[in-house]
Each structure stands twice: as C-alpha cells, then as structure tokens.
Amino acid sequence: MENIFIFLFNSIIVSSTICTADRLSNSVSLKIQRSFCFYCGHNLAWFDTIPVVSACILRNKCRYCHASFGRYYAIFELLYILIGTFLWGTPVAWITGVLLLFLSLEDCSKQSIHANILFPWIGYLLVLHHDAEHLCLTVLILILSIILVKHRHTLGSGDIPVLLSLILSTTPVIFSCTLLIGCCLALFYLLYSQQKRLPFVPFLSGGWVITNLYILFLL
C-alpha cells in the first residue's frame, strides 16, 4: 500500500512539474487554475489530466483539437514517475531530481532557466555538506564555470547553480560520473544534430539519473 501511495504521489508531482514548466515556457500565468490545451485553449476535463493514463488513451493528442503534444509524452512521464519512486528513500536525491526535471524542461523549451529557484536549495545543501572535500570541489567548479561563462562563452550562467546543486547533493565521485556522462551525451547530440548550441541542463540531468540508477540497482 505504501508503494502505491509513493507512486501516485510522484505521479502528481511529475505531472505538476511538467505543467508548471510548460506554462512558464509559454508565458502563461500560474494563477490560472484549470489545465487547458496550448493549441486550442479548451479547458481540459479531469479525466484528460490523469498522469500517463490520459496520454495513452488519447494517444498523446488533445481530445478537442487533436493536436499532438509529444509522441513520447506518456513514456517520458512514466519514466520520471518511476525514477522519483526509486529515489523516494533518499530525500535529497528526490528533491534534486524534481528540480532537475523542471529546469531541464525549461532549458529544452527556450534554452534559459529560472536558476534562482536553486539558491535556497544550495544554501541548505551547504549546511548539510560543508566538509572540506565538498567545499574545495565547489570552489573549483565555481571558478572554472565562471571562466567558461565570462571568457570562453561556452557555458550559460544558469548552468552554474545546477552544477553547484549537483556537487553538494552527491559525493564527488557521483558528481564526476554525472559530469562525464552528461558531457558525453551532449557531445554525441552535437555530432548527430550538427548544432552549435544546445541546452546543457537536460544532459546533466541525464548523466545524474544514469549514475544514480546504476548505483541503486547494480551496487
């Protein structure tokens, strides 16, 4: 029964996070209570907003205008619900995962993020992990990030709080693996798409998820 509750709770959190990111990316006020289709503006009924289930039944399309809202939307939603369920036993990792999901969706949509939401979390993590190892790595990454942002222009300023959150919420080894995997994923994407710019937060999030799932299931 407890596992069912955790799964349902994560379903609500993931669905709400995706909805919030969509609204902010499309400059829609968060004060509007009812969910609606971004294409036709029609208010959605409660049975159109059930996480995963509604997307599968409607085949990832609006019931009213039949516009597609993502071919793999249901798979993506279910994947993050499962990830949140697996990380539930580690509160710091769970909260970090929710924040990364929100920022990744923003970064994918417009390549800019509300990085300021991470500052309270970074403050809490500094209190939690203020040992010499974490602090030295934090200072080192902060200096390198500022150089890449200000002088090399190869990193966005919003990526700095994300990197600091990842350092302080994990061990240095996990952060190193996250950064390595994230950079490799980004490199493969650049080679495949032949683009000059890319949203980096989703690749960092991907590296973080892969590393944590590997530790959770294989170690």
Side-chain angles (χ1 to χ4, degrees), residues 40-57:
C40 65
H42 198 288
N43 287 334
L44 303 180
W46 67 267
F47 46 79
D48 294 325
T49 59
I50 303 173
V52 182
V53 176
S54 295
C56 291
I57 293 175

PDB file of all heavy atoms in Angstrom, residues 40-57:
ATOM      1  N   CYS A  40      -5.575  24.889 -28.744  1.00  0.00           N
ATOM      2  CA  CYS A  40      -6.937  25.383 -28.976  1.00  0.00           C
ATOM      3  C   CYS A  40      -7.495  26.172 -27.795  1.00  0.00           C
ATOM      4  O   CYS A  40      -8.539  26.819 -27.914  1.00  0.00           O
ATOM      5  CB  CYS A  40      -7.874  24.227 -29.316  1.00  0.00           C
ATOM      6  SG  CYS A  40      -8.122  23.029 -27.978  1.00  0.00           S
ATOM      7  N   GLY A  41      -6.836  26.113 -26.648  1.00  0.00           N
ATOM      8  CA  GLY A  41      -7.273  26.872 -25.483  1.00  0.00           C
ATOM      9  C   GLY A  41      -8.426  26.254 -24.720  1.00  0.00           C
ATOM     10  O   GLY A  41      -8.914  26.836 -23.754  1.00  0.00           O
ATOM     11  N   HIS A  42      -8.879  25.078 -25.126  1.00  0.00           N
ATOM     12  CA  HIS A  42     -10.014  24.416 -24.482  1.00  0.00           C
ATOM     13  C   HIS A  42      -9.599  23.898 -23.104  1.00  0.00           C
ATOM     14  O   HIS A  42      -8.557  23.289 -22.938  1.00  0.00           O
ATOM     15  CB  HIS A  42     -10.501  23.253 -25.350  1.00  0.00           C
ATOM     16  CG  HIS A  42     -11.888  22.803 -25.003  1.00  0.00           C
ATOM     17  ND1 HIS A  42     -12.178  22.108 -23.855  1.00  0.00           N
ATOM     18  CD2 HIS A  42     -13.069  22.941 -25.666  1.00  0.00           C
ATOM     19  CE1 HIS A  42     -13.467  21.828 -23.818  1.00  0.00           C
ATOM     20  NE2 HIS A  42     -14.029  22.329 -24.896  1.00  0.00           N
ATOM     21  N   ASN A  43     -10.453  24.155 -22.093  1.00  0.00           N
ATOM     22  CA  ASN A  43     -10.189  23.630 -20.758  1.00  0.00           C
ATOM     23  C   ASN A  43     -10.278  22.108 -20.767  1.00  0.00           C
ATOM     24  O   ASN A  43     -11.177  21.536 -21.396  1.00  0.00           O
ATOM     25  CB  ASN A  43     -11.200  24.189 -19.749  1.00  0.00           C
ATOM     26  CG  ASN A  43     -10.937  25.649 -19.417  1.00  0.00           C
ATOM     27  OD1 ASN A  43      -9.806  26.118 -19.522  1.00  0.00           O
ATOM     28  ND2 ASN A  43     -11.965  26.369 -19.012  1.00  0.00           N
ATOM     29  N   LEU A  44      -9.360  21.469 -20.076  1.00  0.00           N
ATOM     30  CA  LEU A  44      -9.321  20.020 -20.047  1.00  0.00           C
ATOM     31  C   LEU A  44     -10.147  19.493 -18.879  1.00  0.00           C
ATOM     32  O   LEU A  44     -10.121  20.054 -17.786  1.00  0.00           O
ATOM     33  CB  LEU A  44      -7.879  19.526 -19.909  1.00  0.00           C
ATOM     34  CG  LEU A  44      -6.899  19.989 -20.995  1.00  0.00           C
ATOM     35  CD1 LEU A  44      -5.506  19.405 -20.722  1.00  0.00           C
ATOM     36  CD2 LEU A  44      -7.375  19.560 -22.379  1.00  0.00           C
ATOM     37  N   ALA A  45     -10.861  18.412 -19.130  1.00  0.00           N
ATOM     38  CA  ALA A  45     -11.622  17.760 -18.072  1.00  0.00           C
ATOM     39  C   ALA A  45     -10.664  16.991 -17.164  1.00  0.00           C
ATOM     40  O   ALA A  45      -9.520  16.709 -17.537  1.00  0.00           O
ATOM     41  CB  ALA A  45     -12.653  16.813 -18.675  1.00  0.00           C
ATOM     42  N   TRP A  46     -11.129  16.630 -15.984  1.00  0.00           N
ATOM     43  CA  TRP A  46     -10.255  15.949 -15.031  1.00  0.00           C
ATOM     44  C   TRP A  46      -9.730  14.638 -15.590  1.00  0.00           C
ATOM     45  O   TRP A  46      -8.591  14.247 -15.322  1.00  0.00           O
ATOM     46  CB  TRP A  46     -10.999  15.711 -13.714  1.00  0.00           C
ATOM     47  CG  TRP A  46     -12.146  14.714 -13.834  1.00  0.00           C
ATOM     48  CD1 TRP A  46     -13.451  15.009 -14.088  1.00  0.00           C
ATOM     49  CD2 TRP A  46     -12.048  13.288 -13.712  1.00  0.00           C
ATOM     50  NE1 TRP A  46     -14.190  13.848 -14.138  1.00  0.00           N
ATOM     51  CE2 TRP A  46     -13.369  12.782 -13.900  1.00  0.00           C
ATOM     52  CE3 TRP A  46     -11.012  12.404 -13.458  1.00  0.00           C
ATOM     53  CZ2 TRP A  46     -13.646  11.420 -13.857  1.00  0.00           C
ATOM     54  CZ3 TRP A  46     -11.287  11.039 -13.408  1.00  0.00           C
ATOM     55  CH2 TRP A  46     -12.582  10.556 -13.599  1.00  0.00           C
ATOM     56  N   PHE A  47     -10.555  13.953 -16.418  1.00  0.00           N
ATOM     57  CA  PHE A  47     -10.120  12.664 -16.954  1.00  0.00           C
ATOM     58  C   PHE A  47      -9.135  12.831 -18.111  1.00  0.00           C
ATOM     59  O   PHE A  47      -8.609  11.846 -18.626  1.00  0.00           O
ATOM     60  CB  PHE A  47     -11.322  11.827 -17.397  1.00  0.00           C
ATOM     61  CG  PHE A  47     -12.342  12.568 -18.217  1.00  0.00           C
ATOM     62  CD1 PHE A  47     -12.146  12.817 -19.568  1.00  0.00           C
ATOM     63  CD2 PHE A  47     -13.511  13.015 -17.626  1.00  0.00           C
ATOM     64  CE1 PHE A  47     -13.068  13.501 -20.320  1.00  0.00           C
ATOM     65  CE2 PHE A  47     -14.460  13.705 -18.379  1.00  0.00           C
ATOM     66  CZ  PHE A  47     -14.238  13.943 -19.731  1.00  0.00           C
ATOM     67  N   ASP A  48      -8.890  14.073 -18.531  1.00  0.00           N
ATOM     68  CA  ASP A  48      -7.862  14.340 -19.550  1.00  0.00           C
ATOM     69  C   ASP A  48      -6.498  14.612 -18.932  1.00  0.00           C
ATOM     70  O   ASP A  48      -5.512  14.770 -19.666  1.00  0.00           O
ATOM     71  CB  ASP A  48      -8.257  15.549 -20.403  1.00  0.00           C
ATOM     72  CG  ASP A  48      -9.493  15.281 -21.241  1.00  0.00           C
ATOM     73  OD1 ASP A  48      -9.659  14.145 -21.691  1.00  0.00           O
ATOM     74  OD2 ASP A  48     -10.297  16.222 -21.440  1.00  0.00           O
ATOM     75  N   THR A  49      -6.434  14.703 -17.607  1.00  0.00           N
ATOM     76  CA  THR A  49      -5.195  15.104 -16.938  1.00  0.00           C
ATOM     77  C   THR A  49      -4.637  14.016 -16.015  1.00  0.00           C
ATOM     78  O   THR A  49      -3.749  14.295 -15.205  1.00  0.00           O
ATOM     79  CB  THR A  49      -5.426  16.385 -16.112  1.00  0.00           C
ATOM     80  OG1 THR A  49      -6.449  16.145 -15.136  1.00  0.00           O
ATOM     81  CG2 THR A  49      -5.846  17.538 -17.009  1.00  0.00           C
ATOM     82  N   ILE A  50      -5.134  12.800 -16.135  1.00  0.00           N
ATOM     83  CA  ILE A  50      -4.596  11.706 -15.316  1.00  0.00           C
ATOM     84  C   ILE A  50      -3.207  11.343 -15.838  1.00  0.00           C
ATOM     85  O   ILE A  50      -3.061  11.024 -17.019  1.00  0.00           O
ATOM     86  CB  ILE A  50      -5.511  10.465 -15.378  1.00  0.00           C
ATOM     87  CG1 ILE A  50      -6.929  10.824 -14.920  1.00  0.00           C
ATOM     88  CG2 ILE A  50      -4.947   9.332 -14.523  1.00  0.00           C
ATOM     89  CD1 ILE A  50      -7.928   9.703 -15.101  1.00  0.00           C
ATOM     90  N   PRO A  51      -2.189  11.419 -14.997  1.00  0.00           N
ATOM     91  CA  PRO A  51      -0.829  11.133 -15.465  1.00  0.00           C
ATOM     92  C   PRO A  51      -0.714   9.785 -16.168  1.00  0.00           C
ATOM     93  O   PRO A  51      -1.256   8.789 -15.707  1.00  0.00           O
ATOM     94  CB  PRO A  51      -0.003  11.151 -14.162  1.00  0.00           C
ATOM     95  CG  PRO A  51      -0.775  12.025 -13.242  1.00  0.00           C
ATOM     96  CD  PRO A  51      -2.223  11.775 -13.566  1.00  0.00           C
ATOM     97  N   VAL A  52      -0.035   9.757 -17.281  1.00  0.00           N
ATOM     98  CA  VAL A  52       0.262   8.572 -18.099  1.00  0.00           C
ATOM     99  C   VAL A  52      -0.997   8.002 -18.740  1.00  0.00           C
ATOM    100  O   VAL A  52      -1.069   7.807 -19.964  1.00  0.00           O
ATOM    101  CB  VAL A  52       0.987   7.472 -17.296  1.00  0.00           C
ATOM    102  CG1 VAL A  52       1.311   6.284 -18.207  1.00  0.00           C
ATOM    103  CG2 VAL A  52       2.248   8.011 -16.663  1.00  0.00           C
ATOM    104  N   VAL A  53      -2.023   7.730 -17.926  1.00  0.00           N
ATOM    105  CA  VAL A  53      -3.240   7.067 -18.416  1.00  0.00           C
ATOM    106  C   VAL A  53      -3.920   7.889 -19.499  1.00  0.00           C
ATOM    107  O   VAL A  53      -4.257   7.374 -20.574  1.00  0.00           O
ATOM    108  CB  VAL A  53      -4.216   6.800 -17.256  1.00  0.00           C
ATOM    109  CG1 VAL A  53      -5.524   6.193 -17.778  1.00  0.00           C
ATOM    110  CG2 VAL A  53      -3.587   5.871 -16.232  1.00  0.00           C
ATOM    111  N   SER A  54      -4.141   9.179 -19.234  1.00  0.00           N
ATOM    112  CA  SER A  54      -4.827  10.032 -20.219  1.00  0.00           C
ATOM    113  C   SER A  54      -4.022  10.152 -21.499  1.00  0.00           C
ATOM    114  O   SER A  54      -4.581  10.110 -22.602  1.00  0.00           O
ATOM    115  CB  SER A  54      -5.061  11.428 -19.620  1.00  0.00           C
ATOM    116  OG  SER A  54      -5.940  11.369 -18.532  1.00  0.00           O
ATOM    117  N   ALA A  55      -2.702  10.287 -21.368  1.00  0.00           N
ATOM    118  CA  ALA A  55      -1.854  10.406 -22.550  1.00  0.00           C
ATOM    119  C   ALA A  55      -1.929   9.151 -23.410  1.00  0.00           C
ATOM    120  O   ALA A  55      -1.953   9.224 -24.647  1.00  0.00           O
ATOM    121  CB  ALA A  55      -0.407  10.675 -22.136  1.00  0.00           C
ATOM    122  N   CYS A  56      -1.989   7.984 -22.779  1.00  0.00           N
ATOM    123  CA  CYS A  56      -2.079   6.722 -23.527  1.00  0.00           C
ATOM    124  C   CYS A  56      -3.427   6.587 -24.216  1.00  0.00           C
ATOM    125  O   CYS A  56      -3.508   6.202 -25.389  1.00  0.00           O
ATOM    126  CB  CYS A  56      -1.846   5.543 -22.585  1.00  0.00           C
ATOM    127  SG  CYS A  56      -0.160   5.404 -21.978  1.00  0.00           S
ATOM    128  N   ILE A  57      -4.490   6.914 -23.496  1.00  0.00           N
ATOM    129  CA  ILE A  57      -5.835   6.793 -24.062  1.00  0.00           C
ATOM    130  C   ILE A  57      -6.029   7.751 -25.236  1.00  0.00           C
ATOM    131  O   ILE A  57      -6.611   7.389 -26.269  1.00  0.00           O
ATOM    132  CB  ILE A  57      -6.905   7.048 -22.974  1.00  0.00           C
ATOM    133  CG1 ILE A  57      -6.865   5.936 -21.924  1.00  0.00           C
ATOM    134  CG2 ILE A  57      -8.294   7.150 -23.594  1.00  0.00           C
ATOM    135  CD1 ILE A  57      -7.788   6.154 -20.762  1.00  0.00           C
TER     136      ILE A  57
END
